[in-house]
Amino acid sequence: MTVAPTRAVRLMHHDASERPFIVIWEVTRACQLVCTHCRADAIRARNPFELTTDEGRRLLDDLASFGSPRPLVVLTGGDPFERPDLPELVAHGTGLGLSMALSPSVTDRLTRPVLVELHNAGAKAVSLSLDGATAESHDSFRGVDGVFDATLEAARTVSDVGLRLQINTTVTRGNVHELPAMLQTVLKMGAALWSVFFLVPTGRGKLLEPLTAAEEEEVLHWLHDVSTLVAIKTTEAPHYRRIAIQRSGVRALDDVFPVGPLRSRLRLDTAGLLTGHEPPRRPRPPIDVNSGRGFAFVDHVGAVYPSGFLPTAVGSVRHQSFPDIYRGSGLLQELRDPDALGGRCGQCEFRTVCGGSRSHAYATTGDPLAEDPSCLYQPLLTRGVGLAGE
Ligand code: SF4
């Protein structure tokens, strides 16, 4: 038994087993920052075995070969601005009809002339990280003093040159109480999208403390509350879609989803914002994409993964075309099959539209198909309850 998706969730307009909705390419691991949560364990110097410019162009050719609608492409790192051929890669992808976005680190390399050059090359959007509400907390997260102020300045420049701004925030137990203040900053920056990432203990992120499942549930409800202020997307918390569906059409939300201490505090700190913005925008429904199901990650040497936080390579674009890997990988096929999931996720009525964070499952159990331990939900089946009409 499964819950049919509602308008509370956006569905992909194509078959996710045929083509991805979005592909993230880690063009380099080099980066001058030393962020405490870094997935990539980024290093100062570029790896000589990175995909070359020609290999990168071929990868983009491969991505364009999926045809329309072509996948969105995000060039990330490390710091993608460490690659001198970045404008060439962006121009090549744009010329093929790909929508190209960038996820740079805030360093001296992120300057107005470089952003103008990338915009002229066709880049559409830039995402910047904000992991603390103050210089003290953000800079200690990023490992370098001055990055907070530089991020505020970079956000202004990104918008000034005509690029769409996205802000990425990694939530941990250390900064969760700063979320309302970070939201204020996101609103002041005029960001088009706030992407909230729920820490997966991998890379240097192993040293940080993720939220408990109960805390994550509270934060996801709060995010849905404030999604009338800015478009919100979650990363590695697909059960945000379950929450969006559960809440849709419910009038007495607090009766159905009692407010716990964490959400209560987040709400209190956001009260002024929620009443100060009239009329509220309609929340942007989260899109139904998950690891290997509409989403894939290519690392700096060409290995393909279901996600950047799920370190199980399924092939290399040095040996196989990206479409062949995406369509043919046994693991990706399993990840796309909701009935292959284990534990609560395998029994869950939301599995077709959620499916759980495969990265959290893998980081905790070593099995990418295991239940997602970061989700609190007890499926109806495990409670001996049937769905209405079944
Ligand atoms: S139990 Fe699994 S499939 Fe169900 S809502 Fe939670 S994470 Fe999603």
Side-chain angles (χ1 to χ4, degrees):
M1 67 182 176
T2 54
V3 168
T6 68
R7 289 175 62 195
V9 169
R10 280 182 302 147
L11 301 177
M12 281 176 276
H13 294 303
H14 58 266
D15 180 356
S17 61
E18 277 301 305
R19 66 180 70 199
F21 172 78
I22 182 165
V23 175
I24 312 280
W25 173 22
E26 175 194 66
V27 293
T28 181
R29 264 197 190 165
C31 182
Q32 303 314 308
L33 301 183
V34 279
C35 304
T36 45
H37 66 306
C38 185
R39 162 197 58 74
D41 267 333
I43 45 174
R44 293 277 167 161
R46 290 179 58 196
N47 180 338
F49 298 106
E50 278 171 7
L51 292 184
T52 63
T53 307
D54 282 347
E55 287 173 319
R57 290 166 71 99
R58 278 201 294 279
L59 170 59
L60 294 169
D61 292 343
D62 265 7
L63 298 181
S65 75
F66 281 109
S68 185
R70 291 173 177 81
L72 306 175
V73 180
V74 181
L75 305 185
T76 187
D79 179 10
F81 283 28
E82 291 278 330
R83 273 191 78 135
D85 58 355
L86 194 63
E88 183 182 341
L89 293 170
V90 168
H92 186 71
T94 303
L96 295 166
L98 295 166
S99 182
M100 305 292 293
L102 303 159
S103 183
S105 307
V106 176
T107 72
D108 291 347
R109 292 188 188 277
L110 202 167
T111 62
R112 180 180 286 267
V114 171
L115 286 170
V116 168
E117 184 182 11
L118 289 163
H119 186 232
N120 291 340
K124 296 271 186 300
V126 166
S127 57
L128 301 175
S129 294
L130 182 75
D131 301 308
T134 63
E136 193 188 0
S137 58
H138 180 79
D139 291 355
S140 79
F141 208 92
R142 295 271 138 195
V144 175
D145 285 345
V147 180
F148 180 77
D149 290 336
T151 300
L152 300 184
E153 180 62 33
R156 281 190 286 274
T157 312
V158 165
S159 298
D160 272 3
V161 305
L163 288 153
R164 199 168 62 247
L165 175 68
Q166 172 179 323
I167 296 298
N168 301 336
T169 295
T170 298
V171 191
T172 69
R173 295 195 90 191
N175 69 359
V176 65
H177 294 294
E178 296 184 45
L179 282 173
M182 283 192 265
L183 170 62
Q184 290 205 37
T185 306
V186 169
L187 294 174
K188 269 192 212 143
M189 287 170 162
L193 182 65
W194 189 23
S195 174
V196 182
F197 169 69
F198 288 81
L199 181 77
V200 178
T202 185
R204 285 201 287 267
K206 278 188 189 148
L207 304 174
L208 295 171
E209 206 180 347
L211 300 182
T212 64
E215 289 165 338
E216 190 164 325
E217 189 83 359
E218 296 251 82
V219 171
L220 291 173
H221 273 282
W222 174 78
L223 286 173
H224 204 266
D225 286 340
V226 300
S227 65
T228 53
L229 302 175
V230 62
I232 288 178
K233 139 184 196 306
T234 59
T235 302
E236 297 302 347
H239 42 297
Y240 186 55
R241 297 195 284 274
R242 184 251 302 160
I243 284 174
I245 293 173
Q246 286 179 304
R247 289 169 57 112
S248 90
V250 176
R251 284 186 183 274
L253 279 168
D254 290 358
D255 294 341
V256 182
F257 307 104
V259 180
L262 173 57
R263 188 165 152 225
S264 178
R265 176 158 170 201
L266 293 172
R267 260 189 173 185
L268 200 63
D269 293 345
T270 329
L273 283 178
L274 283 166
T275 51
H277 281 69
E278 295 291 348
R281 61 191 294 284
R282 279 192 61 204
R284 173 180 180 265
I287 188 149
D288 178 24
V289 166
N290 208 344
S291 301
R293 181 161 65 81
F295 184 98
F297 179 87
V298 183
D299 82 0
H300 63 305
V301 294
V304 178
Y305 297 84
S307 143
F309 301 93
L310 212 174
T312 49
V314 294
S316 166
V317 297
R318 282 196 157 126
H319 308 303
Q320 241 184 314
S321 79
F322 182 89
D324 283 353
I325 297 170
Y326 182 79
R327 292 176 180 140
S329 149
L331 177 58
L332 296 192
Q333 288 172 0
E334 282 187 305
L335 289 169
R336 292 194 280 264
D337 177 5
D339 294 328
L341 301 175
R344 284 178 297 131
C345 291
Q347 296 185 294
C348 182
E349 63 275 18
F350 292 98
R351 66 189 180 280
T352 53
V353 75
C354 170
S357 163
R358 300 295 98 225
S359 305
H360 278 285
Y362 182 82
T364 311
T365 67
D367 176 3
L369 298 169
E371 76 176 29
D372 176 357
S374 70
C375 173
L376 192 68
Y377 188 65
Q378 286 300 332
L380 294 179
L381 210 56
T382 65
R383 293 183 266 151
V385 184
L387 275 181
E390 295 198 14

